[in-house]
Structures are given as C-alpha cells and as structure tokens.
Amino acid sequence: SAADTLQKLATRVLLPLLVGQLLRPPLQGAGVLAGRRKLLSRSSESLLLLIVYSTFCDTFLRGFGVPPATLAGLLAFVAGLHASHLWLAWQLGGLAGLRAKQRITLTLTATQKTLALGMPLLGVVFAGRPDLGLLCTPLLLQHPLQLLVGSLLSPRLKRIAAEEAP
C-alpha cells in the first residue's frame, strides 16, 4: 500500500539523512570531525563502493535477463540522456547569467544521480518484483558513466574556471 511504501521510504532513506544532518553541527562544534576529513571521505567512498558492489552482485545473482544488444542500447540511451542533460544545464546556466564557476557547479550537480539514494528508493518502491534487477539497470549504468564523464570533463572545466576573471 502507499502508506507502507511511504513508511519504508521514511525509515530507510529519510531517517538516516535526517539523523546525519542533525548530528553534523554538534559533531563539528565539538571538534570530533576536525582532522578526520580524509578518513571520513574514504569511509563514505568505501560504503558507496560496497553498495554498488552488493547491488551488482544481487542483480546478477537474480538474473535480469537483458540480452547484450539490449544492454548496449540502454547504455547508449543513458549516455545520450546524460550528455544532453549536461549540455542543457550548461546552456541554462549561461542564459541565467551565471559565472563560469557557478555554471560548472550547476552542470555537474544538476546531472548527477546517486546510487546510494536511488537503490534504496527503487528497492522500496518495487519491493518483491522479480524484475527488480532489470528496473535497477539504468541506474547501475548511469552511476559509473557519470563518474567517467565527470573525470573526463574535469581538466577542461578546471581550465574554464581558471580563465574566469576574479
């Protein structure tokens, strides 16, 4: 039911986010986080990697029955959609009169999808469906794709930001 789905979303997605946001200011104020930025960053990255790995394993364990040609077509579609969203965000930033650094921020943040949030959402909304792996496939393709594209764009975006007058 809709009420059950909302309750599961609240406990699996919203509650951890809320607790994290509420704990952050007191932990920063007490100096608990000082000097641990690298460790916390590595921990966060490791947890995300674990989520990605377990999702891939679960998806392939269940079998998602997508022929290679269909998977390749889906990857091409996801890549094209990502590229068009990057272009659109960049253009909208220009129309809004944003400076280069602001346009870069808009372009990258507006187009990023998070696997850490997306997988729990898909898991709750489509719980119990035998084709859950298939439904997760676009997100599983999108996540590494956006990391790859972001790393490829970084040198050029860095140059654009550096050329901007202060």
Side-chain angles (χ1 to χ4, degrees):
S1 76
D4 289 337
T5 300
L6 289 175
Q7 188 268 332
K8 286 179 185 174
L9 284 174
T11 57
R12 292 185 190 172
V13 178
L14 296 178
L15 183 62
L17 282 172
L18 181 62
V19 169
Q21 292 302 312
L22 291 174
L23 286 177
R24 192 176 185 153
L27 290 174
Q28 284 177 330
V32 174
L33 303 179
R36 294 187 174 99
R37 184 179 195 102
K38 190 171 186 172
L39 173 67
L40 292 170
S41 179
R42 291 280 183 213
S43 299
S44 176
E45 291 167 0
S46 297
L47 287 171
L48 183 57
L49 182 61
L50 181 63
I51 290 170
V52 172
Y53 178 74
S54 64
T55 301
F56 269 104
C57 288
D58 187 51
T59 299
F60 287 102
L61 179 67
R62 293 177 191 223
F64 62 113
V66 178
T70 304
L71 192 60
L74 182 59
L75 178 59
F77 177 75
V78 168
L81 202 58
H82 185 63
S84 67
H85 286 151
L86 284 167
W87 179 84
L88 183 62
W90 182 260
Q91 296 305 317
L92 289 174
L95 289 173
L98 298 179
R99 298 183 56 183
K101 290 179 183 177
Q102 294 169 322
R103 284 178 81 181
I104 291 167
T105 301
L106 171 70
T107 300
L108 293 178
T109 58
T111 60
Q112 300 298 305
K113 305 295 171 254
T114 174
L115 192 61
L117 183 60
M119 290 310 299
L121 286 172
L122 288 169
V124 168
V125 173
F126 299 112
R129 287 191 53 170
D131 60 347
L132 181 60
L134 179 63
L135 296 171
C136 295
T137 304
L139 184 58
L140 291 172
L141 294 173
Q142 170 73 18
H143 185 76
L145 175 77
Q146 70 191 11
L147 295 176
L148 176 66
V149 170
S151 67
L152 292 174
L153 288 177
S154 288
R156 181 177 175 150
L157 295 175
K158 186 176 182 179
R159 211 172 33 254
I160 290 170
E163 291 169 359
E164 182 179 55

